[in-house]
Amino acid sequence: MVRVVIGGTFDPLHDGHKALLVKACELSRGGELVVGLTSDEMVKSKAHKVSDYRSRYDQVMQFIREQGIDPVIIKLDDPYGPTIHDDFDYLIASPETQPTAQDINRIRREKGMRPIRIVPVDYVLAEDGLPISATRISRGEIDEHGRIMKKCL
């Protein structure tokens, strides 16, 4: 049985997050999808306001279930979660999370564990050609779909 893992804050749940989650769903069909969702404690250092864990959990669960997958969502209190203890076949990573994915495999090698295959998913770009990000959305530059927000004069 294939095991896929992905981690993140996923708030607000934008098209970039959805691309990552869709890839995770595709790879996990017939297997297991484990989603590590950052705890409220972990998100305190974010530059923008983040919804509470329960709200983020509900949004991610609903989106993944709409893809026909029933995931296991676990709370992350550190950047690695179960990836440095449990075996997985695939680890989904954005360009932003790629360094953490590499760290995970380094730690796994040091522990004598086999590496997890990292599946990169490129940024989803906004209308202006820049990546969609929670920070840009929180600043009011773009919406969750990457549409440029109209500035009032």
Side-chain angles (χ1 to χ4, degrees), residues 91-105 118-123:
L91 170 60
I92 310 303
S94 69
E96 182 181 353
T97 60
Q98 189 78 22
T100 302
Q102 297 296 335
D103 287 345
I104 287 167
N105 275 338
I118 299 169
V119 178
V121 176
D122 284 334
Y123 287 122

Side-chain angles (χ1 to χ4, degrees), residues 12-146:
L13 187 60
H14 58 67
D15 286 359
H17 292 140
K18 290 177 180 178
L20 291 163
L21 293 169
V22 164
K23 177 54 97 176
C25 290
E26 288 171 0
L27 290 172
S28 70
R29 294 215 185 277
E32 181 180 40
L33 173 56
V34 176
V35 179
L37 188 62
T38 54
S39 67
D40 287 336
E41 189 63 33
M42 273 190 74
V43 299
K44 286 183 179 178
S45 63
K46 290 277 187 183
H48 56 86
K49 185 181 180 321
V50 176
S51 298
D52 66 276
Y53 179 84
R54 187 77 228 173
S55 298
R56 292 181 287 121
Y57 178 101
D58 291 343
Q59 279 194 318
V60 170
M61 181 65 80
Q62 178 182 346
F63 179 78
I64 294 173
R65 283 187 171 156
E66 288 170 358
Q67 311 311 305
I69 300 292
D70 193 22
V72 174
I73 299 180
I74 58 164
K75 188 180 290 188
L76 288 181
D77 291 311
D78 64 70
Y80 310 120
T83 60
I84 58 172
H85 305 290
D86 299 340
D87 281 327
F88 294 94
D89 299 292
Y90 300 104
L91 170 60
I92 310 303
S94 69
E96 182 181 353
T97 60
Q98 189 78 22
T100 302
Q102 297 296 335
D103 287 345
I104 287 167
N105 275 338
R106 179 187 47 77
I107 293 166
R108 290 177 65 84
R109 280 190 300 277
E110 290 169 0
K111 292 175 135 192
M113 299 174 75
R114 70 171 177 78
I116 304 171
R117 182 172 173 209
I118 299 169
V119 178
V121 176
D122 284 334
Y123 287 122
V124 173
L125 302 181
E127 287 178 340
D128 60 5
L130 298 173
I132 297 174
S133 73
T135 302
R136 295 188 68 207
I137 294 166
S138 71
R139 286 188 203 138
E141 295 174 29
I142 58 172
D143 69 10
E144 294 87 6
H145 304 292

